[in-house]
Amino acid sequence: MTIRILICDDSALARKQMARTLPSDWDVQIRFASQGSEALELLHNQGTDVLFLDLNMPVLDGYGVLEAIRKQELQVITVVVSGDIQPQAMSRVKALGAIGFIKKPIDTDELTRLLTEYGLYQPNSGARQTPPEALPSLTLSLQDYLQELANVAMGQASNLLARLLDVFILQPVPKVAMIARSELSMAISAVEGNSQYSAVCQGFVGAGVSGEALLLFSDSSIEAMARLLHYDEPDNPAPDMEILMDMSSILFGAFLKGLGDQLDIHFGLDQPTILGQHQQLEVLLEHHRQQAEQLLCIEIPYELEQQHISCNLLVLLTEDSVNRLEQRLIYLTE
């Protein structure tokens, strides 16, 4: 019997990878959805046996889809496939009815074990209705690839921070775009009016790919982070600089390692530098405004649930690195 599969992910690359990871001898019919509301419409109108669902999507995310499936009593078996590997993310999707959680990048053996465990797939059970070569051919840009790679790396960094602080990190959709270095301050989202910020910068290089990582913290978030880390205790005071360095070390290291592992690149890191403290964003980024170079910017606005703590992680890749990245991705995806 043919199994009706629906793959829901806002990343075209992730949808393609998911489809190609399914067992080659599984008799399936595959459909795709690029957002949560589209997936729900297909579930209502066409029916689906197994839904492979991403969590981090704009407008209606995976949690919202799971809640709607439960509320509307839709008959579908759901497997979450996500780069958000925080313990709380896994427990939340199970509580909402997902039978399993597969982390990105997908491990074929892990996926096969899960499908076999629930009786959805038996090895050599039949001919696949939609072979890999029949799947739609996708023309993806460097930004498409990097958004999905950043999504996975972001999940690894969030997982480390969540475990260390015993909190849940709200996962955004990474933003990837070419911008002029001089326009960096205008391109950053979630910046609050006249708020003051502190910033840490750290350069990195590997296999001809170079750039810098920036971490921006509003002053109000630093105060809240000090309380969360118990740095505000009378007998254990710590300067803002120590908090900035601790946070940058966690996020820079984990994110760049996650990104490098997927690209098969080992990034070497320079010593971190404090760009400034308690200043307007334009002042902190003054050295960028005087340069006309184009940058490939990956922006991730992190937010700690119920903690009133947010920060922006920016990974800025030099213009010269773009061609090298494109060549690297072509080699890895052939």
Side-chain angles (χ1 to χ4, degrees):
M1 182 181 71
T2 300
I3 302 294
R4 297 170 300 175
I5 301 293
L6 177 59
I7 298 172
C8 179
D9 200 302
D10 62 310
S11 165
L13 174 62
R15 295 195 298 271
K16 179 179 179 180
Q17 290 176 330
M18 181 71 242
R20 293 184 180 277
T21 306
L22 298 176
S24 60
D25 60 345
W26 197 18
D27 185 11
V28 296
Q29 180 185 46
I30 301 174
R31 294 195 304 275
F32 299 98
S34 60
Q35 55 171 299
S37 57
E38 182 183 357
L40 289 175
E41 184 178 349
L42 289 170
L43 291 176
H44 274 291
N45 297 335
Q46 299 186 27
T48 296
D49 298 309
V50 181
L51 168 65
F52 292 101
L53 178 66
D54 183 32
L55 284 182
N56 305 320
M57 296 181 289
V59 186
L60 182 65
D61 62 13
Y63 296 106
V65 173
L66 287 168
E67 290 171 355
I69 289 172
R70 167 175 284 188
K71 183 178 181 179
Q72 299 168 26
E73 298 183 346
L74 300 176
Q75 299 302 306
V76 63
I77 296 171
T78 305
V79 177
V80 168
V81 183
S82 177
D84 184 356
I85 55 176
Q86 297 175 81
Q88 287 193 41
M90 297 182 186
S91 61
R92 289 184 184 192
V93 299
K94 293 288 186 68
L96 287 170
I99 67 166
F101 187 108
I102 301 293
K103 68 178 182 179
K104 296 179 180 180
I106 302 168
D107 183 302
T108 304
D109 292 337
E110 181 183 359
L111 175 62
T112 301
R113 282 195 299 270
L114 178 66
L115 297 175
T116 303
E117 177 183 349
Y118 281 91
L120 298 169
Y121 164 73
Q122 295 296 326
N124 303 313
S125 58
R128 183 173 180 167
Q129 184 166 329
T130 308
E133 58 271 17
L135 294 173
S137 176
L138 298 174
T139 302
L140 301 173
S141 67
L142 178 61
Q143 284 91 334
D144 293 326
Y145 279 107
L146 278 179
Q147 180 169 321
E148 182 59 18
L149 297 182
N151 181 56
V152 173
M154 174 185 67
Q156 295 179 14
S158 295
N159 181 51
L160 177 57
L161 187 62
R163 290 176 181 273
L164 288 173
L165 301 179
D166 192 24
V167 296
F168 182 69
I169 315 294
L170 300 177
Q171 296 283 80
V173 176
K175 299 178 181 179
V176 181
M178 291 294 300
I179 63 171
R181 187 185 288 270
S182 59
E183 299 174 351
L184 180 59
S185 62
M186 293 185 290
I188 298 173
S189 63
V191 173
E192 303 174 356
N194 295 320
S195 296
Q196 292 188 320
Y197 292 82
S198 298
V200 183
C201 171
Q202 190 166 17
F204 61 86
V205 64
V209 177
S210 62
E212 60 183 318
L214 292 174
L215 184 66
L216 298 170
F217 252 104
S218 68
D219 285 358
S220 60
S221 291
I222 292 179
E223 293 170 3
M225 181 59 72
R227 292 191 294 272
L228 188 62
L229 294 169
H230 305 294
Y231 281 173
D232 60 339
E233 297 177 355
D235 59 344
N236 186 31
D240 293 351
M241 185 178 297
E242 185 174 339
I243 297 171
L244 287 168
M245 286 299 190
D246 285 348
M247 289 296 295
S248 65
S249 176
I250 294 168
L251 292 177
F252 289 170
F255 183 88
L256 289 172
K257 182 181 186 304
L259 186 64
D261 286 348
Q262 296 175 85
L263 293 168
D264 195 22
I265 295 175
H266 173 73
F267 287 116
L269 296 173
D270 298 334
Q271 289 296 317
T273 302
I274 298 286
L275 287 182
Q277 294 178 264
H278 319 305
Q279 298 178 10
Q280 295 290 319
L281 189 62
E282 291 79 5
V283 176
L284 290 172
L285 301 179
E286 178 65 29
H287 72 291
H288 289 283
R289 293 174 57 189
Q290 301 173 6
Q291 302 179 53
E293 178 191 14
Q294 291 286 309
L295 297 172
L296 184 60
C297 176
I298 303 172
E299 182 191 0
I300 301 171
Y302 284 100
E303 183 177 352
L304 279 64
E305 187 180 59
Q306 298 180 346
Q307 298 294 332
H308 304 292
I309 297 173
S310 61
C311 62
N312 274 43
L313 173 64
L314 303 172
V315 176
L316 308 173
L317 298 162
T318 65
E319 195 170 1
D320 291 341
S321 298
V322 173
N323 288 336
R324 293 184 182 274
L325 271 177
E326 289 177 331
Q327 294 168 6
R328 194 80 175 181
L329 286 168
I330 291 172
Y331 169 75
L332 292 174
T333 55
E334 282 181 344

